[in-house]
Amino acid sequence: MVRKRGKTVAKLLRELKGVGEKTEKLFQKIGITTTDDLLHYYPRNYDSYEAPEEIGSLKENSVVSVRGTVTAGVYVNRIRNLQVISVTVADTTGRLPVVWFNAPYLKNTLKKGSCFIFRGKISRKKGHLEMEHPEIFTPAAYEEILHSMQPIYGLTAGLTNKLIIKLMHQILDEQSLQTEFLPDEIKEFYHLADDNYAISTVHFPGNMQELLVARKRLVFDEFLLFILAVQILKGKTEEAPNAFPMKPVWTTEQVMEGLPYHLTKAQLNAWHEIERDLCGHTLMSRLVQGDVGSGKTILAFLAMILTVENGYQAALMVPTEVLANQHFEAFTKLMEEQEISSCHPVLLTGSTTQKEKRRIYGEIASGEANVIIGTHALIQEKVVYENLGLVITDEQHRFGVKQREALTTRGNAPHVLVMSATPIPRTLAIIVYGDLDISIIDELPAMRLPIKNCVVGTSYRPKAYSFIERQVREGRQAYVICPMVEESEGADGENVTDYTARLREIFPSDITIGMLHGKMKPKEKNGIMEQFARGEIQVLVSTTVVEVGVNVPNATVMMVENAERFGLAQLHQLRGRVGRGAYQSYCIFMQGNEEEETSRRLEILNKSNDGFFIAGEDLKLRGPGDLFGIRQSGQLEFRIGDIYQDSDVLKAASDAAGGILELDRELELSQHEKLKERLNAYMKYDLENLGL
């Protein structure tokens, strides 16, 4: 038995029937070790099993069911390592070829004259429609699931959707959940379903209305716990004394004067707010929110210089080693150009050699190193700071509770500055970043060339490839983004693995195609990113891991496959990877479906490069059924909630949290007993996953 959730004690996954050592390891790959983890592994989509369609009315790219009779025997063909099984099925309106891959067992099932329901995707091959790798049902079995919504889960190689469904049923059937923790008056006021109902219905909804009711409750819970935790952290920050009092210094003014460009008005406003915080009576806890390319980094450098000039140490923590290297080089160059001798920067990352680390640890502990730039290595136990006065983190490293405590125990709590390029409308940002004061940089430097955008269908692909090749021949580089790492059961969309292989066949051999995704080991990822930064890879095929990756001024093309699968704010973030140099840059959004509503959403990106405008428009367009394929990324990866799509629920949860804390700041009242228990568990286990 392991961790508690309310009154329920979650079992280890291994205790479930059908889970052996091998399966347990597969689940660990996707972060699931207990039955409670599995219960909160929500479906990423649902299959709706509708009445079979007539063969004569089928359309390309649709997923449908067909009732057909097998008209001839099974034909088996081998293409390289792939065994292809094919049959033809027919109804009164026409005939349809159906193919399966590596499924030899079907030869005994698909007898001539037998009738089945086939459900799969319709695609066009050599001028005619065919169905690829469908599920097969007897008419009676299909009748049982007709009009139902079947969950589709995110998988890893070796795990099947059927296994997860089977285990989910087992947990829900065997486990007495009893997890209710919300006071009745909150449930009634906000029209929320019971907790037990929500958790079982989100996995197995009877219809869309039931799903929306269940989902609203789970999203509310997630936001409420998050906001309560944030407010409690804020209370602790406000109570903490400022042990690092500072005064304004001339050096920062000289640096701004010596820059080869003028700071924008928005940058200057944000800088004055940072300076005022650092020189105030309380600890700074501030978010600087600025669009991609708005010039947040120079503000971070100015804050570090001010801290050092006042006799303290400053640390800058970023998510990737490549970015840490780039920041270190940029800061060192700035110090040399401006002839500033007070700053002694060091670079500390996971791949720093042990010998180097020992030297750097010594310099940090003695205070000789007063600007420390790096990755998570900055908060390892062996790093002891002499007088750390300021910590600046990238949005992907929202300063964690454990990290904050770790640094506090080595002295006094430092000032905290968080940099974010995620364009969140201010009304939502105030809730989401409730523990931080907010500065917004809402204008771009004058020298930036606007990115040229286009939204196109898949038929445009050959032209896009030709355009990318021309850019490469001119010495430029390109990104191609896919929504998936590898082909996944039940999921449509381009994947990085197959796409890379395809591009290597399409492009001439002297153009180097690289591959990058989140399942790679950190060292491998860093190696690929460094090669791309050095220009050794011309075209990088990647998942969204690049959105916080690296600054490559030479990259001028961003092509996003299945653009409809991403949120607009995330697409805007991805677009920000190009347009960072002196060359004209381009973004090609490839729309994988032909739906009018999708086109309308993507058209917003086509018309505007303003992240805050895009985020606001995205918010207006979200509908109640728009549940999937649009999750935002960044540090706030809620399990089910989306701050854009669920903005109304976010505001309701914020109001509820405010009412609870106003009535009972310490959650000591009897009606808040279960809520406090759940919140403590949440703060212990869940906040780190959100990067808080």
Side-chain angles (χ1 to χ4, degrees):
M1 294 289 182
V2 284
R3 83 184 206 215
K4 290 184 178 179
R5 175 185 184 261
K7 281 192 172 179
T8 306
V9 180
K11 295 195 294 189
L12 286 170
L13 216 56
R14 189 73 180 274
E15 294 177 49
L16 290 177
K17 206 163 37 182
V19 178
E21 187 181 352
K22 187 180 169 189
T23 306
E24 184 181 42
K25 283 181 179 166
L26 289 173
F27 274 110
Q28 283 169 2
K29 270 189 177 181
I30 53 175
I32 296 172
T33 55
T34 71
T35 53
D36 193 57
D37 292 336
L38 190 55
L39 274 178
H40 288 86
Y41 192 65
Y42 303 121
R44 61 169 180 74
N45 210 332
Y46 297 84
D47 248 341
S48 191
Y49 286 77
E50 301 303 336
E53 293 187 17
E54 293 181 333
I55 289 174
S57 64
L58 298 179
K59 291 187 177 69
E60 189 180 347
N61 288 329
S62 56
V63 175
V64 295
S65 300
V66 166
R67 183 186 182 112
T69 303
V70 179
T71 61
V74 175
Y75 181 68
V76 182
N77 192 15
R78 185 168 286 280
I79 303 171
R80 293 194 294 274
N81 299 331
L82 214 57
Q83 192 182 58
V84 182
I85 305 278
S86 57
V87 298
T88 299
V89 302
D91 64 10
T92 55
T93 66
R95 296 158 72 83
L96 179 71
V98 184
V99 298
W100 291 266
F101 309 108
N102 290 339
Y105 52 88
L106 290 177
K107 282 188 288 187
N108 301 323
T109 306
L110 299 168
K111 304 290 185 191
K112 184 179 177 182
S114 54
C115 178
F116 294 99
I117 309 287
F118 301 92
R119 186 173 186 279
K121 185 176 180 180
I122 303 296
S123 56
R124 189 172 293 280
K125 294 282 167 72
K126 296 178 182 173
H128 66 259
L129 296 180
E130 67 174 39
M131 184 180 272
E132 289 185 347
H133 210 78
E135 297 174 272
I136 307 174
F137 302 89
T138 63
Y142 194 78
E143 190 65 35
E144 285 180 23
I145 59 167
L146 186 61
H147 304 308
S148 70
M149 295 177 72
Q150 298 295 312
I152 300 173
Y153 297 93
L155 303 171
T156 187
L159 268 188
T160 66
N161 206 57
K162 279 181 180 169
L163 175 64
I164 296 183
I165 288 173
K166 187 178 164 190
L167 295 177
M168 205 69 77
H169 276 303
Q170 193 183 140
I171 298 169
L172 291 168
D173 291 345
E174 290 177 7
Q175 192 169 340
S176 174
L177 297 174
Q178 299 176 338
T179 61
E180 190 53 74
F181 66 93
L182 280 186
D184 288 342
E185 60 269 24
I186 285 182
K187 281 201 299 180
E188 285 165 23
F189 187 82
Y190 293 103
H191 308 292
L192 299 170
D194 178 73
D195 189 15
N196 287 343
Y197 171 84
I199 201 77
S200 57
T201 303
V202 79
H203 291 290
F204 304 108
N207 53 50
M208 179 57 82
Q209 189 52 42
E210 283 186 13
L211 172 62
L212 292 175
V213 168
R215 190 180 176 281
K216 180 185 174 185
R217 169 61 202 266
L218 296 171
V219 170
F220 185 93
D221 287 357
E222 196 166 34
F223 286 160
L224 178 71
L225 292 168
F226 172 76
I227 292 163
L228 287 172
V230 161
Q231 290 302 322
I232 287 165
L233 286 179
K234 185 177 187 180
K236 288 180 180 175
T237 304
E238 285 173 347
E239 290 162 14
N242 179 5
F244 304 99
M246 301 187 200
K247 291 179 180 175
V249 295
W250 277 111
T251 315
T252 54
E253 302 297 320
Q254 288 164 0
V255 169
M256 286 189 279
E257 286 289 317
L259 291 172
Y261 53 86
H262 293 295
L263 294 186
T264 62
K265 188 181 174 188
Q267 280 176 303
L268 287 169
N269 288 342
W271 166 243
H272 293 317
E273 287 170 341
I274 293 166
E275 188 180 46
R276 189 185 65 221
D277 282 359
L278 289 172
C279 299
H281 298 297
T282 55
L283 273 180
M284 176 171 75
S285 199
R286 181 167 291 277
L287 166 77
V288 174
Q289 196 186 10
D291 217 338
V292 175
S294 61
K296 297 180 294 295
T297 306
I298 187 63
L299 301 186
F301 288 177
L302 288 169
M304 292 196 290
I305 292 165
L306 174 63
T307 304
V308 167
E309 291 278 323
N310 275 277
Y312 309 120
Q313 290 171 308
L316 171 61
M317 187 164 77
V318 296
T320 67
E321 292 195 6
V322 181
L323 206 51
N325 274 304
Q326 289 184 334
H327 281 326
F328 179 74
E329 286 167 16
F331 186 81
T332 306
K333 186 182 175 191
L334 181 68
M335 295 304 95
E336 287 168 1
E337 287 172 354
Q338 304 270 2
E339 297 180 353
I340 296 171
S341 57
S342 57
C343 294
H344 303 288
V346 291
L347 176 68
L348 186 59
T349 67
S351 59
T352 305
T353 64
Q354 285 305 318
K355 186 181 175 185
E356 273 289 282
K357 277 181 183 168
R358 281 194 294 273
R359 178 185 67 76
I360 292 169
Y361 292 157
E363 289 180 10
I364 294 171
S366 69
E368 182 188 341
N370 52 21
V371 171
I372 303 94
I373 296 171
T375 55
H376 248 115
L378 298 189
I379 48 173
Q380 300 304 312
E381 287 176 15
K382 291 178 182 173
V383 187
V384 179
Y385 295 90
E386 204 230 352
N387 56 355
L388 183 61
L390 170 68
V391 175
I392 303 172
T393 66
D394 181 278
E395 62 181 317
Q396 290 291 319
H397 278 158
R398 183 82 192 282
F399 210 38
V401 182
K402 290 174 185 168
Q403 290 92 316
R404 205 176 286 200
E405 286 172 357
L407 290 166
T408 303
T409 57
R410 294 173 189 151
N412 296 292
H415 295 281
V416 173
L417 185 62
V418 181
M419 299 285 185
S420 172
T422 306
I424 304 174
R426 191 178 182 93
T427 49
L428 301 188
I430 288 166
I431 300 171
V432 171
Y433 295 103
D435 58 328
L436 303 173
D437 297 312
I438 300 174
S439 297
I440 290 181
I441 307 177
D442 53 7
E443 60 182 310
L444 291 179
M447 66 262 192
R448 287 255 172 180
L449 280 172
I451 295 165
K452 292 185 177 177
N453 310 292
C454 65
V455 178
V456 294
T458 51
S459 60
Y460 187 83
R461 229 182 244 134
K463 283 186 184 174
Y465 293 158
S466 299
F467 179 72
I468 289 171
E469 187 177 343
R470 282 202 305 278
Q471 286 283 301
V472 169
R473 296 297 177 211
E474 288 173 22
R476 308 284 81 79
Q477 291 162 273
Y479 295 95
V480 178
I481 306 299
C482 298
M484 298 188 297
V485 174
E486 55 202 10
E487 197 171 357
S488 172
E489 180 190 329
D492 295 326
E494 297 295 340
N495 70 84
V496 168
T497 313
D498 293 340
Y499 205 100
T500 306
R502 199 156 76 232
L503 283 194
R504 283 173 180 158
E505 287 177 8
I506 291 167
F507 280 89
S509 58
D510 62 329
I511 293 178
T512 307
I513 315 283
M515 178 170 74
L516 181 71
H517 56 75
K519 290 186 180 178
M520 290 175 163
K521 292 191 171 119
K523 195 172 179 184
E524 197 180 354
K525 276 194 285 194
N526 283 323
I528 296 288
M529 286 164 111
E530 278 169 4
Q531 281 179 275
F532 189 63
R534 290 195 300 264
E536 293 164 16
I537 290 172
Q538 281 84 44
V539 180
L540 182 63
V541 182
S542 173
T543 55
T544 55
V545 292
V546 298
E547 69 186 312
V548 290
V550 59
N551 185 24
V552 183
N554 193 46
T556 56
V557 183
M558 166 64 68
M559 178 170 154
V560 184
E561 287 283 358
N562 298 107
E564 73 280 358
R565 297 279 294 271
F566 304 95
L568 293 191
Q570 186 174 19
L571 289 171
H572 178 66
Q573 287 271 83
L574 288 165
R575 174 167 62 184
R577 290 295 106 205
V578 296
R580 291 170 165 257
Y583 315 105
Q584 178 62 57
S585 290
Y586 308 86
C587 195
I588 303 164
F589 298 109
M590 192 71 67
Q591 187 177 332
N593 66 26
E594 295 172 17
E595 289 171 18
E596 197 178 318
E597 197 173 321
T598 305
S599 303
R600 206 163 67 245
R601 280 182 65 238
L602 294 175
E603 200 54 38
I604 294 167
L605 290 166
N606 208 0
K607 288 176 182 166
S608 177
N609 285 315
D610 178 344
F612 289 95
F613 169 78
I614 289 162
E617 290 299 300
D618 202 9
L619 204 51
K620 290 177 198 168
L621 281 178
R622 296 292 173 88
D626 197 9
L627 302 181
F628 307 102
I630 51 172
R631 290 182 63 78
Q632 303 305 326
S633 74
Q635 85 291 359
L636 292 171
E637 278 283 3
F638 290 106
R639 280 175 173 169
I640 192 167
D642 179 294
I643 61 170
Y644 292 85
Q645 170 194 321
D646 302 308
S647 58
D648 290 348
V649 183
L650 179 65
K651 287 167 187 167
S654 177
D655 290 343
I660 290 166
L661 294 175
E662 194 177 335
L663 174 70
D664 182 16
R665 185 82 203 172
E666 302 301 319
L667 302 181
E668 298 295 342
L669 295 175
S670 58
Q671 69 259 40
H672 294 148
E673 184 187 340
K674 289 178 184 174
L675 175 60
K676 186 174 186 177
E677 196 178 312
R678 184 69 178 270
L679 182 62
N680 287 339
Y682 176 83
M683 291 184 78
K684 189 172 181 183
Y685 295 107
D686 294 88
L687 280 183
E688 290 303 315
N689 297 330
L690 284 163
L692 188 72

